[in-house]
Amino acid sequence: MMEKMMPEMIKVSEDTYILDEGGVRFFLLLGSKKALLIDSGMMVHHAKELAEGISDLPLELLNTHADMDHVGSNQEFDAFYMHAAEEENFLHTPGPHTGKIIPVEDGDIMDLGDRPLKIIHT
């Protein structure tokens, strides 16, 4: 059995974590009702498992974009948030392309429970 890559987990505050796999960083944000993983790494293919080890809140995934260093653990999720303009890029990244893309648009608000996040499309 292949050993799982373990990123460095950096606790920024009580509700914010950075997971760093050697320069590729992804983030876990906790609200009062749910948790949001922003991106899912590149070499790590068990980011959901790692996030669930930090919090037992319901977990969702938001990809900032579809480059391969942001979608490494997407296959763990049945669905994930991503801007619709990135769907074609996602389909061309290496790896399994499972999960339903839930489109987000500029100005959308994702509320984790007492922690609203505004989507800014750049």
Side-chain angles (χ1 to χ4, degrees), residues 11-17 28 30 54 115:
K11 186 175 185 177
V12 177
S13 67
E14 289 300 314
D15 58 3
T16 304
Y17 295 80
L28 179 64
L30 308 177
I54 294 170
R115 191 172 190 180

Side-chain angles (χ1 to χ4, degrees), residues 2 10 26 53 71:
M2 205 162 117
I10 304 162
F26 47 109
V71 298

Side-chain angles (χ1 to χ4, degrees), residues 22-70:
V24 174
R25 293 182 175 165
F26 47 109
F27 305 86
L28 179 64
L29 307 179
L30 308 177
S32 62
K33 295 183 180 177
K34 58 186 170 181
L36 182 68
L37 191 62
I38 299 179
D39 293 328
S40 65
M42 184 165 93
M43 301 304 294
V44 170
H45 299 292
H46 62 292
K48 182 177 183 183
E49 177 185 323
L50 292 169
E52 289 174 338
I54 294 170
S55 171
D56 60 359
L57 289 167
L59 180 64
E60 296 182 344
L61 171 62
L62 168 69
N63 290 120
T64 57
H65 60 289
D67 288 359
M68 63 186 226
D69 59 333
H70 294 260

Side-chain angles (χ1 to χ4, degrees), residues 69-95:
D69 59 333
H70 294 260
V71 298
S73 292
N74 275 38
Q75 74 281 354
E76 290 187 294
F77 293 82
D78 293 330
F80 51 90
Y81 297 94
M82 181 184 290
H83 193 276
E86 287 294 310
E87 184 171 358
E88 188 68 25
N89 294 335
F90 177 67
L91 295 175
H92 289 93
T93 58

